[in-house]
Amino acid sequence: IVLAAAACPAAQSPSYTGVYDGLTSDGVGGFALFVDANQKAVLIGGEGYTSNGNSLYASCKVDTNGNGYSDISGITVSFTISSDGSVAVNGRADDGSYSYQMGGSIVSSGPFFSVAGLYTAAYSASITLQAIVAPDGWIYTSSPNHGGGGRVQITAYNQSTTDSSLGSVVTVLTLR
């Protein structure tokens, strides 16, 4: 009699890879959440997108239950990604000056699907800017200190879109 051990497949952690976006309940603000293949997440969002704040920024690992938590530069963000692709976001300034609850979902199609993702660009030798491009054309930008940011939507490649929501800083975005 020969006994052979059958290998059990290893339990795999769910993958939350993708770009998610959503809005505040009043529709004035919103967010984009990018999760890479290693489950590292970056969230950029806010309401009003003013140069003096009201923004959300997070960078963290997504756990096996779809949860993420970040506290960077006085901004605390937590989120939960559900198995159906929906996401709930809670964000607040640690000083209590603002707080948002937002909902959204994964964006799995759109004219910019092939270029969707997280982008980083050097603004100067010591300052980098980040942007998340969603497949549907929404682009969320973060200011260098994450104290402001903006949101614009593009509709075509090679179309320049200007975001002046940072006050004196003007960002020109072009997808090629």
Side-chain angles (χ1 to χ4, degrees):
I1 298 176
V2 177
L3 297 177
C8 293
Q12 292 187 354
S13 298
S15 175
Y16 299 100
T17 303
V19 177
Y20 302 75
D21 69 5
L23 297 172
T24 55
S25 59
D26 61 8
V28 175
F31 72 93
L33 171 65
F34 171 76
V35 181
D36 72 13
N38 295 317
Q39 305 308 287
K40 182 165 176 13
V42 172
L43 181 140
I44 299 171
E47 184 161 14
Y49 303 106
T50 60
S51 60
N52 62 350
N54 295 345
S55 68
L56 297 178
Y57 178 84
S59 179
C60 61
K61 189 88 167 170
V62 180
D63 70 18
T64 58
N65 295 315
N67 299 311
Y69 176 84
S70 174
D71 191 349
I72 298 175
S73 299
I75 302 168
T76 300
V77 176
S78 63
F79 60 84
T80 300
I81 303 170
S82 299
S83 59
D84 66 358
S86 63
V87 61
V89 175
N90 291 303
R92 64 178 170 79
D94 292 347
D95 66 6
S97 60
Y98 60 90
S99 176
Y100 309 121
Q101 289 72 45
M102 296 185 263
S105 61
I106 193 164
V107 183
S108 55
S109 65
F112 303 101
F113 184 79
S114 65
V115 296
L118 175 68
Y119 291 83
T120 302
Y123 179 74
S124 69
S126 62
I127 298 174
T128 58
L129 301 174
Q130 288 186 304
I132 297 175
V133 176
D136 57 5
W138 281 106
I139 301 174
Y140 288 78
T141 59
S142 177
S143 65
N145 63 357
H146 312 302
R151 175 178 79 147
V152 296
Q153 187 174 31
I154 57 168
T155 57
Y157 284 97
N158 295 316
Q159 169 199 352
S160 294
T161 301
T162 302
D163 173 21
S164 59
S165 59
L166 296 175
S168 60
V169 177
V170 176
T171 305
V172 178
L173 303 164
T174 305
L175 286 182
R176 299 189 189 275

